[in-house]
């Protein structure tokens, strides 16, 4: 296992972040991942990092804060935490997030407190998010097993056995179990690039989604939209991979041209709560009706975060027949589940998905149909029978996905 962990860390530093000599790295990590995080820090220094700043977090003490702290604290985000990100993003730092949470740790917490604190966090970190959403700095999100997360996925296994099984799943999914993981990633990224190039060449005006769950949705795409996939290039010309794993090809929708109904296909974890079996009805881009068998109150409060929260900011295509999907595992972790399924995202769109978008201010982005919000949350809609049809400017209909998978593009 240690050899695979070393390969995984090498992938994170060299492919995910592509850390540059003399660059600062900021790592956000749960305290439970201390051993793995220390190895990441060491590897980053050995690869030329000038400094590595670790921002430790603990979801258990975070829960205690929700339970016992003064109510006024939930409308404020700690300045010192915001400073770590906001100051270093201006210094050209790279950012690594080790995302490994208990999917239901906050299930008994007042969802109003969670929503208020998430809003305060988004506001305090706006300078950081603006640069990251524009890919000005390298950033990468990865996951490793923790006790609570492993137990949620494999409830019938003992603690260490569950973690070991999840480790093996992750190694396989991120290709760290291969003889030459870096070469495997280069090949994978090239395949995603080919699909991306095809979609960009078609310049679709809109997409239509249908499946047996009841999804019947039409999504307009703005003129000048750009499909992207796999890796991104920072403002300094550094190629990096923001998500490990990544199986998606994505773009942005036109804010006010989403109509119809869509049903979720996997649980959506938000703020330590699970939202399951939900639907959303859109009219002129906005969610006008919703329902959920579990977590409806949490979903409603999320969509009331700000004016843009009820609109979409991302359209992502992922083949149903993908390594993560084929594992037949629900991970209760957005990083993994979104890369097993076609998905959409509430909230902020990526300006880099529009021609010239990175140079536009908020008003210019809005005029071009780009959604602006303090949130960006992915939710999964892909199924084995999903059909997606692209419609060109000339009205030609092209089947992009059939039975959940890409057609011969």
């Amino acid at each position: 296992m240690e050899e695979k962990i070393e390969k995984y860390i090498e992938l994170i530093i060299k492919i995910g972040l592509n850390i540059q000599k003399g660059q600062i790295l900021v790592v956000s990590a749960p305290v439970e991942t201390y051993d793995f995080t220390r190895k990441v820090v060491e590897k980053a220094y050995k690869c030329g990092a000038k400094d590595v700043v670790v921002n430790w977090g603990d979801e258990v003490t975070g829960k205690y804060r929700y339970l016992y702290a003064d109510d006024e604290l939930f409308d404020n985000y700690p300045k010192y935490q915001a400073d770590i990100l906001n100051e270093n993003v201006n210094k050209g730092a790279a950012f690594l997030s080790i995302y490994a949470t208990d999917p239901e740790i906050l299930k008994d917490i007042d969802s109003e407190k969670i929503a208020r604190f998430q809003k305060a966090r988004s506001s305090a970190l706006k300078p950081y998010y603006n640069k990251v959403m524009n890919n000005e700095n390298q950033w990468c999100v990865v996951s490793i097993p923790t006790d609570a997360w492993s137990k949620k996925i494999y409830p019938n296994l003992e603690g260490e056995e569950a973690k070991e099984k999840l480790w093996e799943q992750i190694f396989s999914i991120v290709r760290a179990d291969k003889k030459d993981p870096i070469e495997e990633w280069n090949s994978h990224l090239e395949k995603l690039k080919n699909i991306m190039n095809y979609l960009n060449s078609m310049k679709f005006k809109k997409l239509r989604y249908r499946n047996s769950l009841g999804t019947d949705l039409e999504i307009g795409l703005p003129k000048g939209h750009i499909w992207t996939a796999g890796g991104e290039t920072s403002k300094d010309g550094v190629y990096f991979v923001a998500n490990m794993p990544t199986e998606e090809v994505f773009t942005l929708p036109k804010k006010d041209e989403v109509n119809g109904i869509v049903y979720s296909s996997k649980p959506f974890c938000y703020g330590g709560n699970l939202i399951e079996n939900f639907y959303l009805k859109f009219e002129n881009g906005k969610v006008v009706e919703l329902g959920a068998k579990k977590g409806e109150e949490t979903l409603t409060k999320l969509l009331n975060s700000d004016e843009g929260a009820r609109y979409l900011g991302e359209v992502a295509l992922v083949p149903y027949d993908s390594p993560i999907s084929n594992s037949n595992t629900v991970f209760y972790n957005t990083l993994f589940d979104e890369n097993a399924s076609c998905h959409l995202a509430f909230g902020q769109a990526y300006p880099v998905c529009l021609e010239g978008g990175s140079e536009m201010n908020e008003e210019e982005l809005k005029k071009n149909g780009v959604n602006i919000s303090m949130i960006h949350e992915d939710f999964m809609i892909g199924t084995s029978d999903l059909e997606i049809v692209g419609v060109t400017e000339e009205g030609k209909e092209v089947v992009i996905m059939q039975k959940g998978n890409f057609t011969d593009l």
Side-chain angles (χ1 to χ4, degrees):
M1 179 178 288
E2 286 303 314
E3 181 182 357
K4 293 176 184 177
I5 288 176
E6 289 299 325
K7 286 184 176 181
Y8 186 20
I9 291 172
E10 184 174 37
L11 281 172
I12 292 168
I13 298 299
K14 293 185 176 181
I15 297 291
L17 292 165
N18 193 5
I19 200 75
Q20 301 294 293
K21 185 173 179 60
Q23 191 173 27
I24 297 169
L25 172 62
V26 179
V27 182
S28 296
V31 291
E32 190 178 341
T33 68
Y34 69 90
D35 187 57
F36 182 85
T37 302
R38 287 172 178 171
K39 292 175 180 177
V40 168
V41 170
E42 182 180 23
K43 186 68 174 181
Y45 277 124
K46 286 183 175 180
C47 287
K50 176 182 179 180
D51 191 14
V52 183
V53 179
V54 181
N55 186 20
W56 296 105
D58 177 34
E59 59 186 4
V60 175
T61 55
K63 179 178 181 178
Y64 294 157
R65 190 171 188 266
Y66 279 117
L67 286 171
Y68 307 120
D70 287 346
D71 185 71
E72 65 183 28
L73 291 179
F74 303 108
D75 294 313
N76 297 281
Y77 188 75
K79 185 177 182 301
Y80 76 93
Q81 290 186 8
D83 287 347
I84 290 174
L85 299 177
N86 289 335
E87 290 181 10
N88 281 296
V89 78
N90 290 326
K91 294 178 181 178
F95 296 86
L96 174 66
S97 174
I98 300 175
Y99 171 54
T101 64
D102 178 348
E104 295 188 281
I105 191 167
L106 301 181
K107 65 181 180 180
D108 299 321
I109 301 297
D110 179 4
S111 59
E112 181 68 28
K113 286 184 178 180
I114 298 172
R116 286 164 53 201
F117 187 65
Q118 294 285 0
K119 185 174 182 179
R121 183 178 190 274
S122 296
S123 179
L125 296 178
K126 189 173 182 179
Y128 164 74
Y129 285 128
N130 283 346
K131 287 183 178 292
V132 166
M133 294 293 278
N134 265 317
N135 291 328
E136 291 190 26
N137 300 58
Q138 303 118 272
W139 58 281
C140 185
V141 183
V142 301
S143 290
I144 71 167
T146 57
D147 290 336
W149 181 32
S150 303
K151 193 64 178 175
K152 177 65 180 178
I153 301 175
Y154 310 112
N156 297 323
L157 298 180
E158 296 300 320
E160 284 305 311
E161 189 178 358
K163 285 179 73 173
E164 288 180 11
K165 184 173 177 62
L166 183 52
W167 265 122
E168 290 304 321
Q169 289 268 50
I170 291 174
F171 291 145
S172 175
I173 288 167
V174 301
R175 300 169 173 81
D177 60 346
K178 304 298 183 183
K179 183 178 180 180
D180 188 343
I182 289 179
E183 181 57 36
E184 290 283 340
W185 265 91
N186 287 333
S187 176
H188 173 57
L189 293 171
E190 188 63 26
K191 291 175 183 177
L192 288 176
K193 183 180 178 181
N194 290 337
I195 298 172
M196 175 191 78
N197 288 340
Y198 169 80
L199 292 171
N200 280 325
S201 73
M202 295 302 293
K203 301 185 185 302
F204 289 117
K205 182 179 181 180
K206 58 185 176 182
L207 304 176
R208 289 205 300 263
Y209 292 66
R210 291 191 178 93
N211 67 11
S212 59
L213 287 179
T215 292
D216 189 351
L217 188 70
E218 186 170 282
I219 299 177
L221 303 176
K223 284 188 176 181
H225 69 274
I226 298 171
W227 291 90
T228 187
E232 309 285 350
T233 302
S234 75
K235 69 174 182 178
D236 293 326
V238 179
Y239 186 79
F240 67 98
V241 178
N243 288 345
M244 300 189 80
T246 182
E247 303 288 339
E248 65 180 321
V249 182
F250 65 94
T251 190
L252 47 70
K254 192 167 185 181
K255 178 180 177 179
D256 58 357
E257 291 188 4
V258 180
N259 291 281
I261 192 166
V262 64
Y263 287 80
S264 66
S265 60
K266 291 179 181 289
F268 166 41
C269 183
Y270 175 73
N273 289 271
L274 283 179
I275 305 168
E276 300 183 73
N277 298 314
F278 62 93
Y279 76 89
L280 303 164
K281 184 178 180 181
F282 290 86
E283 289 183 4
N284 299 320
K286 187 177 183 179
V287 176
V288 295
E289 183 182 320
L290 64 89
K293 288 188 177 179
K294 180 178 181 179
E296 185 171 322
E297 182 183 0
T298 300
L299 179 59
T300 300
K301 288 179 178 177
L302 167 63
L303 295 182
N304 289 336
S305 297
D306 63 20
E307 183 181 347
R310 283 183 176 257
Y311 295 83
L312 296 181
E314 180 184 343
V315 179
L317 306 183
V318 181
Y320 189 80
D321 184 20
S322 65
I324 306 174
S325 179
N326 290 340
S327 71
N328 294 314
T329 303
V330 176
F331 286 93
Y332 304 100
N333 174 302
T334 300
L335 176 62
F336 283 80
D337 289 331
E338 74 169 1
N339 282 295
S341 169
C342 285
H343 55 274
L344 304 171
F346 309 115
Q348 177 69 37
Y350 289 100
V352 293
C353 288
L354 183 71
E355 291 178 6
S358 297
E359 287 74 47
M360 295 180 187
N361 58 35
E362 284 194 4
E363 287 306 311
E364 290 170 328
L365 289 168
K366 288 178 181 179
K367 287 179 181 178
N368 282 276
V370 179
N371 191 36
I372 304 296
S373 174
M374 290 190 297
I375 70 164
H376 179 94
E377 296 292 337
D378 299 282
F379 63 97
M380 283 54 76
I381 64 168
T383 59
S384 62
D385 64 350
L386 179 64
E387 179 183 83
I388 301 177
V389 174
V391 182
T392 67
E393 290 283 353
E394 296 76 27
K396 180 182 178 182
E397 297 187 359
V398 180
V399 179
I400 301 172
M401 302 192 83
Q402 201 165 42
K403 296 183 178 179
N405 290 309
F406 287 111
T407 55
D408 295 328
L409 303 180

